[in-house]
Amino acid sequence: MNRKILLQEQDIPRQWYNIAADLPTPLLPPLTPDGKPVTPDMLAPVFPMNIIEQEASTQRWIDIPEEILDILYRWRPSPLRRAVYLERYLQTPAKIYYKDESVSPPGSHKPNTAVPQAWYNKQYGIKKLTTETGAGQWGSALAFACQLVGLECKVYMVRISFDQKPFRKLMMQVWGGNCVASPSNETNAGRKILAEHPDTPGSLGIAISEAIEAAVTDPSGKTRYSLGSVLNHVLLHQSIIGLEAKAQLKSVGEKLPDVVVGCAGGGSNFAGIAMPFTLDKINGAKIDIIPIEPTACPKMTRGKFAYDYGDIACMTPLMAMHTLGHAFVPAPIHAGGLRYHGMAPLVCQCIVEGLHTPQSIDQMECYEAAMTWAKTEGFICAPETSHAIAGVIRQAKQAKEEGKEKVILFSYSGHGLMDLMGYDAYLSGKLKPYYLPEEEIIKSEECLAGHPQAQERKSGKW
Amino acid sequence: MNRKILLQEQDIPRQWYNIAADLPTPLLPPLTPDGKPVTPDMLAPVFPMNIIEQEASTQRWIDIPEEILDILYRWRPSPLRRAVYLERYLQTPAKIYYKDESVSPPGSHKPNTAVPQAWYNKQYGIKKLTTETGAGQWGSALAFACQLVGLECKVYMVRISFDQKPFRKLMMQVWGGNCVASPSNETNAGRKILAEHPDTPGSLGIAISEAIEAAVTDPSGKTRYSLGSVLNHVLLHQSIIGLEAKAQLKSVGEKLPDVVVGCAGGGSNFAGIAMPFTLDKINGAKIDIIPIEPTACPKMTRGKFAYDYGDIACMTPLMAMHTLGHAFVPAPIHAGGLRYHGMAPLVCQCIVEGLHTPQSIDQMECYEAAMTWAKTEGFICAPETSHAIAGVIRQAKQAKEEGKEKVILFSYSGHGLMDLMGYDAYLSGKLKPYYLPEEEIIKSEECLAGHPQAQERKSGKW
């Protein structure tokens, strides 16, 4: 029995895997509001050119610089674990493996991309990164990365989270990050909102606007912006999760998994575990690859595949993705990292191709799964991660019914020690199921119809 | 270079090491208030007989039951890591290794003894354990252990911590623990205090009284009490830390370390890393073995070696230990786990014998060390653990001055993600150095002089 499958430092993957090289149909390009493809120079004020090159790359394997590996070695390779205690509890013939991304210093998979992004910016001569954060997972990961690489880091944190979740802010401060409540008085976007709504709780949309403005208006030209999910280069960096997992499964004599599961908000964690196995599926392997989203934010299962903006202020390019409309505001479920209206275009293209088959699960089932996890495996998972566990429990039960010894792999994207208020709500009976009402879906279609480029696509092939 | 030294599951130690077998002078026995040795039957209402046997045992090696290992495998063997990033920063020739006990589900070394204690109680037919907790580290570890073993768990948590630190309480609840604020209305001790002082913030002394009363007065006879440090059986269970570390050092070709460091509150974490190497020192090896205490609670460096009570209410037997007097109330430093007036008798006997050489370090130096750790190794340590890191940094600097390639080993007893308020106090400049004033030491001597058995011992040999 192998409960913990370890990979030695010298066996860490030395290249990231880029699914863009292997998609049956090429990825649809990002567009400007007037429908023209976005060119690299348009992105240059926001991202450094070496990151923009990765964003557009269709090269299959991209070398990971040694200096980046030297930083990642603090927690990578991460353990692959066998969830034997959950298996026993479920009396399932399935073998459940999970890639433990909670072991990073910030406690999630996010630093897998924060570190390379900080490093490439530093290489390009950038001195400072800006970003936004909601619950604080991404902000703390970027502050951590900037500390280790030697960049300044400025985080615009949604005001209500800033006030209610002081611990994430403190993590950023320990790592030298400068975290302010958004809207702030430091940007035009922030000042404008504050003048109109002095008591606003803030929103991710406002925080994005402030972070981008702060980057592009710095007169020194030495500040750029950093995003923690959705974009191609982010998913590229996260592929290390699945590449390590593949090597670890092989080391204990497992062939390919039958099922791969991950929770998906913007798609970076799910893609991290999924894409290296999606390549095998493209090459003929039979694997169910399942991104799990909350029923409160069901863009993959009930949204449209359309060109839409990444943010409510329509500052980003239009991207071809599954979306509930950029104006959609998800219910305040505790899995803050899954509250996003869109999905990474690379994941969406895989869904269109039939390579990924999304499912949505309600938060009550997810917290039940998290409690089962805590009393069997013993660890307290993040609310986002509980969605993956709920999906895995469904699969393990199905394997039991079918009497099949399936191999199930999932990404344990983070621990829940900074998110215990959600458990409190669940344990005290305050949590309720939440299924997005049909009228909200209709509203999202109207939102999309209002934008000439934001039209539904029936397939990825046009 | 080996940054992370892993031990396979099959190489986990199968026996605990009991230093009581090897002490040059036998341990002084616990005494009743009238000076007679405590007999096992006196302890029977409080602890199960199989634990009492371990408490009194002088057997060198004690088998770890397979069923206990099966629980520990969730996080053990824990990694031994090389702090290469700190070494580079300090430009020291020393090699710094640390045993990472923060990887357990509750985030500290505490479950190493919580699990066996719960298991032995279960074996003995006990249905429920009671305990007290201050900041909540021990309470959450025992709730975790009881959940996995299948016992009820009742935790009396000091009221001020209960109100100010809701997250530790939530951890206990996720693991099925029943945590109440102490003083509570559920015990005579609690009701008496509440009647006199309805607004009391509570204290560890009151919480201990409540937990013991709840155990010994349960009419079913199926409830016992559990303690997270100080006692011999607790230190025995923690020896797995040092035993694993020894095997890991050997696996990378290191002989014995030159220096072993651990923070010490009641002594269980320090003894866990130290005792297996103390055996080597008894057998002639040259090793500096250093428990680190805060200058705010300097029992080992400035207290007396005397027979004293373990608690303020004088409910425990008298133990021969270094103490500041059982009535001593330490300043409210953030390292809550180090705020204890006494020290484990096994550690004290080693100090008397010259095997352990304690140091005290002020909290400002400790938080500076914690910040250095966060910006080099990347992880956020517990306030208790920062004392060990500060001690290690002193040693590494000394090795640099001496130009010696020393091997330094320490126990990284826990992460600091649940204790970020201490970092907030440090970063906002609110924290001050604290050295215990001499008049407090004099008071502690008066306290001891008031008890016939609580007399200073000039050596361990009488």
Side-chain angles (χ1 to χ4, degrees):
Chain A
M1 173 92 66
N2 292 284
R3 261 171 275 229
K4 187 156 65 161
I5 301 143
L6 307 163
L7 202 62
Q8 295 294 327
E9 195 173 297
Q10 63 265 27
D11 299 323
I12 201 169
R14 311 223 152 234
Q15 296 181 309
W16 291 300
Y17 170 62
N18 184 6
I19 188 80
D22 292 303
L23 285 172
T25 311
L27 198 63
L28 292 163
L31 302 179
T32 62
D34 57 4
K36 291 182 185 137
V38 170
T39 57
D41 58 295
M42 291 178 190
L43 297 172
V46 182
F47 300 112
M49 201 49 75
N50 47 9
I51 292 274
I52 294 170
E53 280 163 17
Q54 284 194 345
E55 183 64 21
S57 174
T58 53
Q59 193 182 318
R60 181 171 295 117
W61 297 100
I62 295 179
D63 288 343
I64 310 177
E66 269 303 321
E67 294 90 336
I68 289 177
L69 289 175
D70 184 66
I71 297 175
L72 300 183
Y73 287 141
R74 282 175 176 83
W75 73 98
R76 302 211 74 87
S78 71
L80 181 74
R81 295 175 191 266
R82 173 112 179 252
V84 288
Y85 308 96
L86 179 64
E87 290 173 18
R88 283 184 210 163
Y89 175 81
L90 296 173
Q91 296 181 290
T92 177
K95 292 191 272 184
I96 302 171
Y97 292 93
Y98 67 101
K99 187 66 173 158
D100 190 357
E101 295 298 308
S102 76
V103 299
S104 76
S108 79
H109 67 293
K110 291 289 188 192
N112 295 333
T113 184
V115 168
Q117 287 194 50
W119 189 85
Y120 283 114
N121 272 281
K122 175 92 172 179
Q123 283 290 303
Y124 196 69
I126 299 304
K127 303 285 184 197
K128 180 177 174 178
L129 284 179
T130 67
T131 198
E132 73 289 335
T133 200
Q137 274 199 325
W138 170 244
S140 55
L142 193 67
F144 162 80
C146 286
Q147 168 79 282
L148 297 184
V149 163
L151 291 179
E152 272 187 77
C153 180
K154 177 86 181 193
V155 180
Y156 295 86
M157 185 171 186
V158 177
R159 174 172 293 280
I160 189 164
S161 296
F162 185 90
D163 292 339
Q164 290 179 351
K165 301 196 172 184
F167 295 108
R168 282 276 179 200
K169 175 183 60 188
L170 283 169
M171 286 176 83
M172 295 180 225
Q173 289 173 346
V174 170
W175 285 313
N178 180 350
C179 175
V180 294
S182 167
S184 75
N185 265 314
E186 301 181 11
T187 65
N188 288 328
R191 282 186 290 267
K192 186 161 171 256
I193 303 270
L194 282 177
E196 291 166 14
H197 310 284
D199 297 326
T200 176
S203 74
L204 215 45
I206 298 168
I208 292 175
S209 306
E210 287 201 273
I212 295 179
E213 180 189 326
V216 301
T217 60
D218 176 3
S220 78
K222 299 290 189 191
T223 299
R224 291 293 183 280
Y225 168 76
S226 173
L227 191 69
S229 192
V230 180
L231 299 182
N232 302 347
H233 67 276
V234 178
L235 274 58
L236 174 76
H237 302 152
Q238 293 292 359
S239 69
I240 197 166
I241 302 175
L243 294 169
E244 284 183 9
K246 193 182 273 194
Q248 285 161 311
L249 283 175
K250 196 176 164 191
S251 77
V252 292
E254 296 287 5
K255 289 174 191 146
L256 290 170
D258 299 293
V259 185
V260 177
V261 175
C263 64
S268 77
N269 159 66
F270 166 71
I273 191 83
M275 291 311 189
F277 298 99
T278 306
L279 171 58
D280 297 297
K281 188 162 180 173
I282 291 168
N283 289 334
K286 198 188 157 320
I287 312 176
D288 288 327
I289 304 180
I290 308 170
I292 311 277
E293 65 187 5
T295 52
C297 193
K299 58 262 189 151
M300 292 182 288
T301 54
R302 296 174 68 200
K304 297 221 170 305
F305 183 64
Y307 263 110
D308 194 11
Y309 294 100
D311 68 315
I312 195 165
C314 304
M315 292 179 70
T316 72
L318 287 153
M319 292 176 287
M321 62 181 177
H322 292 80
T323 175
L324 292 165
H326 55 269
F328 176 71
V329 180
I333 57 167
H334 285 277
L338 307 183
R339 296 179 64 240
Y340 184 66
H341 70 279
M343 177 50 60
L346 283 168
V347 172
C348 296
Q349 185 69 21
C350 288
I351 295 172
V352 169
E353 304 278 0
L355 295 165
H356 298 168
T357 49
Q359 293 181 8
S360 68
I361 305 186
D362 171 62
Q363 65 176 348
M364 295 301 285
E365 184 176 337
C366 295
Y367 271 104
E368 278 158 31
M371 292 299 290
T372 299
W373 187 260
K375 80 176 174 192
T376 56
E377 292 297 313
F379 288 88
I380 296 177
C381 71
E384 292 83 2
T385 311
S386 75
H387 287 71
I389 296 170
V392 164
I393 290 177
R394 285 184 178 186
Q395 291 291 325
K397 286 181 175 170
Q398 192 186 318
K400 185 181 177 183
E401 280 167 25
E402 296 170 358
K404 284 187 186 161
E405 200 194 79
K406 282 185 177 176
V407 173
I408 301 171
L409 170 69
F410 78 100
S411 170
Y412 188 80
S413 52
H415 65 63
L417 299 183
M418 314 302 286
D419 304 283
L420 287 162
M421 294 315 288
Y423 283 90
D424 192 28
Y426 174 77
L427 289 168
S428 59
K430 284 179 203 146
L431 226 55
K432 297 277 173 286
Y434 190 86
Y435 293 87
L436 189 67
E438 190 58 28
E439 58 263 32
E440 293 278 334
I441 299 286
I442 294 167
K443 254 200 272 179
S444 95
E445 288 175 17
E446 286 166 2
C447 161
L448 288 172
H451 293 270
Q453 292 301 329
Q455 293 160 19
E456 184 176 4
R457 309 292 168 173
K458 294 298 174 196
S459 87
K461 294 158 190 169
W462 79 90
Chain B
M1 172 92 65
N2 292 284
R3 260 171 277 228
K4 188 155 63 162
I5 301 143
L6 307 162
L7 202 63
Q8 295 294 326
E9 194 173 297
Q10 63 266 26
D11 299 323
I12 201 168
R14 311 221 152 236
Q15 296 181 309
W16 289 300
Y17 170 63
N18 184 6
I19 188 81
D22 292 304
L23 285 172
T25 311
L27 198 63
L28 292 163
L31 301 179
T32 62
D34 57 3
K36 290 180 185 141
V38 170
T39 58
D41 58 295
M42 291 179 191
L43 297 172
V46 182
F47 300 112
M49 201 49 75
N50 47 8
I51 292 274
I52 295 170
E53 280 163 19
Q54 283 194 345
E55 183 64 20
S57 173
T58 53
Q59 193 182 318
R60 181 171 294 118
W61 297 100
I62 294 179
D63 287 345
I64 310 177
E66 269 304 320
E67 294 91 336
I68 290 177
L69 289 175
D70 183 67
I71 297 174
L72 300 183
Y73 286 141
R74 282 175 176 83
W75 74 98
R76 302 211 74 87
S78 71
L80 181 75
R81 297 175 191 268
R82 173 112 178 251
V84 287
Y85 308 96
L86 178 63
E87 290 173 17
R88 282 184 209 162
Y89 175 80
L90 297 172
Q91 297 181 291
T92 176
K95 292 191 271 184
I96 302 171
Y97 292 94
Y98 67 101
K99 187 67 172 157
D100 189 357
E101 295 298 308
S102 76
V103 299
S104 76
S108 79
H109 68 292
K110 291 289 187 192
N112 295 334
T113 184
V115 168
Q117 287 194 50
W119 189 85
Y120 283 113
N121 272 280
K122 175 92 172 179
Q123 284 290 303
Y124 196 69
I126 299 304
K127 304 283 185 201
K128 180 177 174 179
L129 284 179
T130 67
T131 198
E132 74 289 335
T133 200
Q137 274 198 326
W138 169 244
S140 55
L142 193 67
F144 162 80
C146 286
Q147 169 77 281
L148 297 184
V149 162
L151 290 179
E152 272 186 78
C153 181
K154 177 87 180 194
V155 180
Y156 295 86
M157 186 171 185
V158 177
R159 174 172 294 280
I160 189 163
S161 296
F162 186 90
D163 292 339
Q164 289 179 352
K165 301 196 172 184
F167 293 109
R168 282 277 179 199
K169 176 182 59 189
L170 283 169
M171 286 176 82
M172 295 180 225
Q173 289 173 347
V174 169
W175 285 313
N178 180 349
C179 176
V180 294
S182 167
S184 76
N185 265 315
E186 302 181 10
T187 65
N188 288 329
R191 282 186 291 268
K192 186 162 170 254
I193 302 270
L194 282 177
E196 291 166 14
H197 310 284
D199 297 326
T200 175
S203 74
L204 215 45
I206 299 169
I208 292 175
S209 306
E210 286 202 273
I212 295 179
E213 180 188 325
V216 302
T217 60
D218 177 2
S220 77
K222 299 289 190 192
T223 299
R224 291 292 182 279
Y225 168 75
S226 173
L227 191 69
S229 192
V230 180
L231 300 181
N232 302 347
H233 67 275
V234 178
L235 273 57
L236 175 75
H237 302 153
Q238 294 292 0
S239 69
I240 197 167
I241 302 174
L243 293 169
E244 284 183 9
K246 193 182 274 195
Q248 286 161 311
L249 283 175
K250 196 176 165 192
S251 77
V252 293
E254 296 287 5
K255 289 174 192 145
L256 291 170
D258 299 293
V259 185
V260 178
V261 175
C263 64
S268 76
N269 159 66
F270 166 71
I273 191 82
M275 291 311 189
F277 297 99
T278 306
L279 171 58
D280 296 298
K281 188 163 181 173
I282 290 168
N283 290 334
K286 198 188 157 321
I287 312 176
D288 288 327
I289 305 180
I290 307 169
I292 312 277
E293 63 187 6
T295 52
C297 192
K299 59 263 189 145
M300 293 182 287
T301 53
R302 296 175 69 200
K304 297 222 171 302
F305 182 64
Y307 263 109
D308 194 11
Y309 295 100
D311 68 316
I312 195 166
C314 303
M315 292 178 71
T316 72
L318 287 154
M319 292 177 288
M321 61 182 179
H322 291 81
T323 174
L324 292 165
H326 55 268
F328 176 70
V329 180
I333 58 168
H334 285 278
L338 307 183
R339 295 179 66 241
Y340 184 66
H341 70 279
M343 177 51 58
L346 283 168
V347 172
C348 295
Q349 185 70 19
C350 288
I351 295 172
V352 169
E353 305 278 359
L355 295 165
H356 299 169
T357 49
Q359 293 182 9
S360 68
I361 305 186
D362 172 62
Q363 65 176 347
M364 295 301 286
E365 184 176 338
C366 295
Y367 271 105
E368 278 158 32
M371 293 298 290
T372 299
W373 187 260
K375 81 176 174 190
T376 56
E377 293 296 313
F379 288 88
I380 296 177
C381 71
E384 291 83 3
T385 312
S386 75
H387 288 70
I389 296 170
V392 165
I393 290 176
R394 285 184 177 186
Q395 291 291 326
K397 285 181 176 171
Q398 192 186 320
K400 185 181 177 183
E401 280 168 24
E402 296 171 358
K404 285 187 186 162
E405 200 194 80
K406 282 186 178 176
V407 173
I408 301 171
L409 170 69
F410 77 100
S411 171
Y412 188 81
S413 52
H415 65 64
L417 299 183
M418 314 301 286
D419 304 283
L420 287 162
M421 294 315 288
Y423 284 89
D424 192 28
Y426 174 78
L427 290 168
S428 59
K430 285 179 203 145
L431 225 55
K432 296 278 173 283
Y434 189 86
Y435 294 87
L436 188 67
E438 191 57 28
E439 56 263 34
E440 293 277 337
I441 300 286
I442 294 166
K443 254 201 272 180
S444 94
E445 288 175 18
E446 287 165 1
C447 160
L448 288 172
H451 293 269
Q453 293 300 328
Q455 294 160 18
E456 183 176 3
R457 311 291 167 173
K458 293 299 175 195
S459 87
K461 294 160 188 166
W462 81 91

